């Protein structure tokens, strides 16, 4: 066989490409369950942080999650909305809602935990893809997150207005409660504010209004009186 021929070169390259592709496919398939398990565990940890659970206090965060979780509430039958997870923390019901939005350099997200009144923020957690270290990336730090605890997502009229993130010294204009923005990270802070407003007032609107009685009341059933037999 002429190893210097073009036919040999092409055949050899083709065989090597096929072998490498098969190996990569095998490795990818073998690692998929572990990758999915790691993603699930990371999500569970983020929700635990939103529930003010100190991860360092638990040897097995997944077990702690299973201890607190109660059930999953589906938003819509068509599956277009994110799931809402109900937990019980120290005997009290908490609802955890997933958040997603945009920061300066990429996506931001997280989880917000609400009390049973669906108004008071019990805790919150943020994540980001590529915000600037020491600036926008500080949204994940405890000092920023703790500002949200005890804030309310409704105004005095009961409307969902969220919590606005503003530069220190500025005042909210529409009756929202507020927290201080990250210094030097205006766009990321605005992204957090917009994410909360959009997710709460649009994506989770139906769920948040049901409990407080803002939903339209059901029509009363009219019962015809029984006619006396002749």
């Amino acid at each position: 066989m002429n190893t210097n021929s073009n036919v040999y070169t092409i055949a050899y390259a083709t065989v090597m490409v096929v072998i490498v592709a098969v190996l990569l496919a095998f490795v990818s398939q073998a690692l998929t369950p572990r990758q999915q398990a790691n993603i699930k565990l990371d999500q569970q940890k983020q929700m635990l942080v939103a529930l003010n659970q100190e991860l360092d206090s638990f040897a097995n965060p997944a077990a702690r999650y299973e201890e607190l979780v109660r059930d999953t509430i589906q938003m819509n039958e068509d599956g277009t909305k994110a799931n809402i997870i109900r937990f019980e923390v120290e005997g009290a019901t908490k609802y955890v809602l997933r958040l997603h939005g945009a920061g300066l350099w990429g996506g931001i997200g997280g989880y917000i935990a609400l009390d049973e009144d669906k108004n008071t923020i019990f805790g919150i957690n943020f994540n980001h893809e590529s915000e600037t270290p020491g600036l926008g990336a500080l949204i994940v730090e405890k000092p920023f997150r703790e500002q949200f605890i005890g804030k309310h997502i409704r105004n005095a009229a009961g409307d969902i207005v969220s919590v606005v993130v503003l530069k220190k010294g500025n005042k909210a204009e529409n009756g929202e409660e507020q927290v201080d923005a990250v210094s030097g990270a205006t766009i990321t802070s605005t992204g957090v504010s917009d994410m909360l407003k959009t997710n709460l007032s649009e994506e989770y609107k139906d769920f948040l209004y049901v409990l407080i009685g803002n939903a339209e009341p059901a029509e009363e059933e009219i019962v015809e009186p029984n006619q006396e037999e002749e």
Side-chain angles (χ1 to χ4, degrees):
M1 180 180 295
N2 185 4
T3 58
N4 294 321
S5 68
N6 291 334
V7 174
Y8 177 86
T9 302
I10 294 173
Y12 179 83
T14 301
V15 170
M16 292 303 297
V17 167
V18 170
I19 293 175
V20 171
V22 170
L23 289 174
L24 289 176
F26 174 79
V27 172
S28 176
Q29 190 172 25
L31 293 178
T32 294
R34 180 176 295 181
Q35 292 171 340
Q36 293 176 340
N38 288 338
I39 292 173
K40 181 179 179 180
L41 178 60
D42 180 66
Q43 292 172 339
Q44 291 176 343
K45 287 181 177 180
Q46 290 190 54
M47 284 186 269
L48 288 174
V49 172
L51 290 165
N52 300 322
Q53 303 294 301
E54 296 291 342
L55 297 181
D56 293 341
S57 303
F58 309 106
N60 189 344
R64 179 59 174 173
Y65 176 92
E66 294 298 333
E67 180 183 342
L68 299 179
V69 71
R70 291 298 176 264
D71 54 32
T72 299
I73 302 169
Q74 298 288 340
M75 288 292 291
N76 286 330
E77 293 181 357
D78 60 9
T80 55
K81 302 294 184 180
N83 292 331
I84 298 166
I85 313 297
R86 184 173 68 88
F87 294 85
E88 185 174 324
V89 180
E90 297 180 356
T93 295
K94 310 295 177 185
Y95 297 105
V96 173
L97 288 59
R98 185 177 65 89
L99 304 171
H100 55 90
L104 174 59
W105 302 113
I108 57 176
Y111 294 89
I112 183 171
L114 299 176
D115 285 342
E116 191 171 8
D117 63 3
K118 297 184 182 180
N119 182 25
T120 308
I121 298 177
F122 179 70
I124 201 164
N125 185 39
F126 296 112
N127 58 59
H128 67 87
E129 294 176 0
S130 53
E131 297 307 292
T132 307
L135 294 174
L138 292 177
I139 62 173
V140 306
E141 299 296 331
K142 194 172 183 178
F144 179 72
R145 294 186 287 104
E146 284 185 333
Q147 296 183 89
F148 291 86
I149 297 176
K151 301 291 185 182
H152 301 90
I153 65 172
R154 304 181 188 279
N155 60 16
D159 300 319
I160 299 173
V161 293
S162 183
V163 175
V164 65
V165 183
L166 293 175
K167 185 177 180 180
K168 192 171 183 179
N170 291 351
K171 297 295 183 182
E173 299 178 351
N174 300 310
E176 309 101 323
E177 295 187 18
Q178 64 188 73
V179 300
D180 292 336
V182 176
S183 179
T186 302
I187 295 178
T188 303
S189 298
T190 300
V192 170
S193 192
D194 291 343
M195 174 177 66
L196 288 168
K197 179 66 180 294
T198 300
N199 282 237
L200 295 174
S201 64
E202 297 180 11
E203 184 165 344
Y204 298 111
K205 177 179 65 176
D206 294 341
F207 169 77
L208 294 173
Y209 271 120
V210 168
L211 185 67
I212 65 169
N214 286 10
E216 294 183 3
E219 295 183 1
E220 295 184 1
E221 182 181 359
I222 299 176
V223 180
E224 295 291 341
N226 294 328
Q227 295 182 353
E228 296 181 359
E229 295 182 359
E230 295 184 357

